Amino acid sequence: MEHELLRNLRKKVATEKYPFIKKKPPEGLRGKLIIDMAKCIGCGLCVFDCPAGAIEMIGKGTAADLKVYLDRCHFCGQCAESCPSKCIVYSTEFELANFDKKNLTIEFKRKL
Amino acid sequence: MVPAEIIEFLSVLIYPGFIFIFTLAFFYEWVDRKFVARLQNRYGPLYAGPGGILQPFADFIKLLAKEDITPRAADKTTFRVTPILMLALALSTLFFIPTAYTTAVSWFEGDLIFVTFLVSILVLITLIAAWSSTSTFSTVGGIRVVLQMLGFEIPMTIVMVGPAIVSKTLSITNIALWQYTTGHYFAIYQPIGLIVLIICLLAEIKKAPFDIPEAESELAAGWITEFSGRKLALIRLTTDVELILAGALVTALFLGGPTGPFGIPSVIFFLIKTTGVILVISNLRALFARFRIDQMLGGFWKYLVPLALLQIILVTLGVG
Amino acid sequence: MVETKESKTGLLERLRNSIPQEWILSLKAPEPRRIFLSVKREHFKEAMTKMLKDEEITHLSTITGVDLGEEIEVIYHLDKSGTILSVKTTTPKSQPTLPTVTDLIPGAPLYEREVHELLGVAFDGHPDLSRLVLPEGWPPGLYPLRREISIENIRSALEKAKEEKKVG
Amino acid sequence: MDEERVIIPIGPQHPALKEPMNFMLKVEGEKVLEAIPNLGYNHRGIEKAATVRTYIQNLYLAERICGICSIAHVQCYAQGVEKLLEMEIPPRAQYVRLILSELNRLHSHLLWVGVAAHEIGFDTLFMYLWRDREIVMDTLELITGNRVSYGFTMLGGVRRDISPDMAARVKKEMKTVRDRTQYYKKMSSNERSILKRTQGVGILKPQDALALCACGPTLRASNIKWDVRREDPYLAYNEIPFNVVTSDGCDVLSRMIVHYDEVIEATNIIEYALDHMPSGSFREKVTRRIPAGEVVSRVEAPRGEDIHYIKSNGTDKPERFKVRAPTLGNIPAVCKMLSDSYIADVPIILAGIDPCFSCTDRVTFVKGEMGKGWIWTQEELRRYANRWYQQR
Amino acid sequence: MNVVKWARSKSPWIIHFNTGSCNGCDIEVVAALTPKFDLERFGVLLKGSPRHADVIVVTGPVTNQVKERLKRVYEQMPSPKFVMAIGTCACSGGVFKDCYNLCQGVDKVIPVDIYVPGCAASPEAIIDGAAKLLKKISG
Ligand code: SF4
Ligand code: SF4
Ligand code: SF4
Ligand code: SF4
Ligand code: SF4
Ligand code: SF4
Ligand code: SF4
Ligand code: SF4
């Protein structure tokens, strides 16, 4: 064991200097989600399947806006799976810490 | 000319008095934490000052500025007084061990015995402090402190006598000086004594693998569980001063104290030697799993006491 | 009534021979290594004792309680060399009681307490059916896994219990 | 209760237990006379909630029964639902799931040994183990995109495939993990201060282990060769050669050794599976409505047998979803180990069953008096219970 | 006064409290302390006693059973004290939204200073949250 200690003393430190040096997030990391409202057909399947009730639909059908509560979202990816028009994608943005819960709600509005 | 009283006063206050010791205490805590972190393949404190060197200082200031809660059930006076008393005791013990100069701030023939006595008192005050907070964790922790003392006190006292016998003095300062003048360093002549002393001191300052009284995984924080704010700051400072105490004691008794050749200021030698001792202590801390109190007691009586006695026998036979 | 897909251990065959027909409501093996045996409540303890002894079964995986509406079904999932033998029996919901199996299986008390707490089945002879998973101050007689209890019911009952505590 | 005895509350925010749970220890000196655990702190009511959600939503709920063996729970659930559908998932999906399960076991076991090291005050070993565990976490992140809750297992298959690039990297990492584990195993079985704290501590005799229905590594460390992967094979476990590791020490040290050996075994399984992966699709479409029926499904989670019971009534929501997670199965066993131990051994004994109370959250009490071993007979239990209530 | 602020932001001692989480966030909090991420860089020490802690790190959706304990631990901490809600569960209850035995998020029980969503909040996300909080403390 002493041998191992001394070996580690000589070795480079295993620590990554996050947040000062950031490494590239892995492909497929599910961070904050982004909805492309241009493609959304307002079918509501994402709302229906979300296990955490993190998506809310305001309005109906093709005119509906979507609201995502990041403080409820578990980043499970089911909404992207369910969406028939594949308009939900995940960014790799995971540094979402916030002092105020309100800032964790994002709205996706249709451009008129 | 500055009057002698003022020099005396300054020496108590600044160098080699309080300020010097406190700075040193923080420095050694940093050395300890940093070295252990490094052994564990990580950085340890990094952003408080260069390389995190101000970390212990930041901890101290933060604790001073925090709310200081006295639990309702606690014995208020004792609870309040004991941390101060402990720090005072640790500091005054240090005054009998040579640090910055080749002689201690205060010394007399027999201070070796006095120092062991002070160390025991320190332990007893810990028990009182633990008792006064009346929480069960503290109480069990406090009892463990005393049990632990039963383990380390005897072998520690015995090995400390070793150097005294050879150098024919009971003063720590003189023992250190004797080694320097004769060139007989006890680290070489009484290695068993050195090892036993370091192990005992490890138990005295309650560092792993003998951090049984503070065992985090079974007793929250042991006897210090209920202390917060300023009191906790003082307790932590005491712990750090004890770390110096351990380093200084080993240095004085076995490494010739703050002495060395070439007319370089003695404090440099002191720093080098104690840092060495502290690195050894940190290394041991990282090397072992915590012992159980019964294993610790059993081990000390089964191995360390005989070893200490063996050392003394060797010394009296003239081998040391 | 009896299907055979279970093979390896021949457990199904042996059960069919060793347990009297009149105790059994159904016995089937819908897939390999799964046997469902439904026994009448009156003969449940006897059947259990006999099976455990004959087959030298020691492992009880868990006990499931299911609210069937009029009755509560209790399922004991036993393991015999990799085959899960699920022994079912029912008890009327109006007064659900069953004999305990803690005397046969030392590992069973927890599972019985859980069923007791979540569905209100009393186990005769169980040493201690006190609170297990639900918080202190849970309204007595509120069994969360019963069908008629919805999540809203539970929430409002909890609110009420809290208020009563405050007043009292 | 006897006033002279000190009572130490352990948990739920106690550092020894990363999970919310509460133990009252009745102690005399340094000896534990009795431990009264209370596990209800984590009861979330998942079983009820599952009945008002669709099968798809429950997939994620099952994953979140526990974050450490998330793969095990979700596998157990998905496997059950697929049986109700009477479908076989594609062979490639089976292999991918199997690899994931084993990676899950790897990280969970390394995690546990690390925690055990921490409990005996050996933080350096804890740091090393967790450092090397990050290798496994990185591979998991590589394959699934996330570190803990993977959202990877879907009804009918898996979400993504393992590409040859990934496979090559995983294989490389497995070698490192195996080498490191072999080193730690050697070190742990030689290091005196570890032996002192683990050898002969928390004894669970084979007959007790069987009688108290223990499972997983706890059972195997009591020298009982029983593993769901072998007894009741699922996925492709019957196509892959592997050993069921046992150890006959019946103490915490054996549990440690079993964990190390299972890590080594798991790396072999992963390598073998990567080499023998069938080609083809990795996912099939599944209907939302599940045919009526009932199914008992079980898997070998890192901590032992995990068993789910699902009853469907033909709609898109289950009628009953029952979970028995491995830790619950081991609680009677840990109670047995705890009585008549030292306070200092409590954390390591508790940790010894690799507890995770988030899926367990149930309560029990232990009894045991100093100087006497105890047998869990019904008579004794009853006597104990009566006394307890009289004294209150 | 500035020295005090500086000291506070350099020495956040944490106590970890699991309020019924799935353990996912807990292991990530622990992972954040280990060599790869090493929160001690920031002066973070994990403490066993609430009396010693400055920041309480809460994971999990707060079960009814644990509610009172959480309040008590919070009260035992000497001020100034801060609360970090780690993981989506601690932020809002998330996937356990209709489980009957929960009070849906830490902020229903004690005031939360910073929310760190994620399932599980990865060690990086936790460090990010901690860094943001420390920045706020130092003013
Ligand atoms: S299309 Fe599918 S999701 Fe939509 S209502 Fe029909 S069954 Fe439900
Ligand atoms: S990722 Fe999962 S939890 Fe988040 S919005 Fe989509 S479905 Fe809901
Ligand atoms: S599932 Fe896709 S298309 Fe349908 S509402 Fe959601 S985002 Fe729009
Ligand atoms: S450690 Fe925590 S739970 Fe235990 S007594 Fe102290 S404050 Fe209470
Ligand atoms: S014990 Fe656990 S799995 Fe069972 S209902 Fe409660 S939370 Fe769900
Ligand atoms: S057994 Fe533990 S780690 Fe696994 S799902 Fe349950 S709580 Fe989580
Ligand atoms: S024992 Fe339960 S909670 Fe623990 S890892 Fe296994 S399944 Fe998860
Ligand atoms: S946020 Fe996710 S990982 Fe964290 S406790 Fe909740 S379910 Fe578990």
Side-chain angles (χ1 to χ4, degrees), chain A residues 44-71:
Chain A
L45 270 182
C46 52
V47 181
F48 184 76
D49 276 347
C50 175
I55 309 181
E56 195 186 332
M57 209 167 177
I58 297 154
K60 261 201 199 130
T62 44
D65 290 335
L66 292 175
K67 219 178 184 178
V68 178
Y69 297 90
L70 286 180
D71 59 326

Side-chain angles (χ1 to χ4, degrees), chain A residues 35-47 55-67 87 107-112:
Chain A
I35 307 179
D36 180 359
M37 291 310 282
K39 281 202 279 178
C40 173
I41 53 169
C43 66
L45 270 182
C46 52
V47 181
I55 309 181
E56 195 186 332
M57 209 167 177
I58 297 154
K60 261 201 199 130
T62 44
D65 290 335
L66 292 175
K67 219 178 184 178
C87 54
E107 286 179 61
F108 294 96
K109 284 208 160 71
R110 277 169 207 277
K111 288 188 202 80
L112 293 173

Side-chain angles (χ1 to χ4, degrees), chain A residues 2 8 11 14-15 18 24 26 35 44 48 67-68 74-76 78-79 83 90 96 100 106 109:
Chain A
E2 181 62 33
N8 274 289
K11 227 166 81 179
T15 312
Y18 184 88
K24 202 171 139 277
I35 307 179
F48 184 76
K67 219 178 184 178
V68 178
H74 277 268
F75 310 95
C76 66
Q78 181 58 42
C79 47
C83 179
Y90 289 89
L96 303 169
D100 193 345
I106 39 177
K109 284 208 160 71

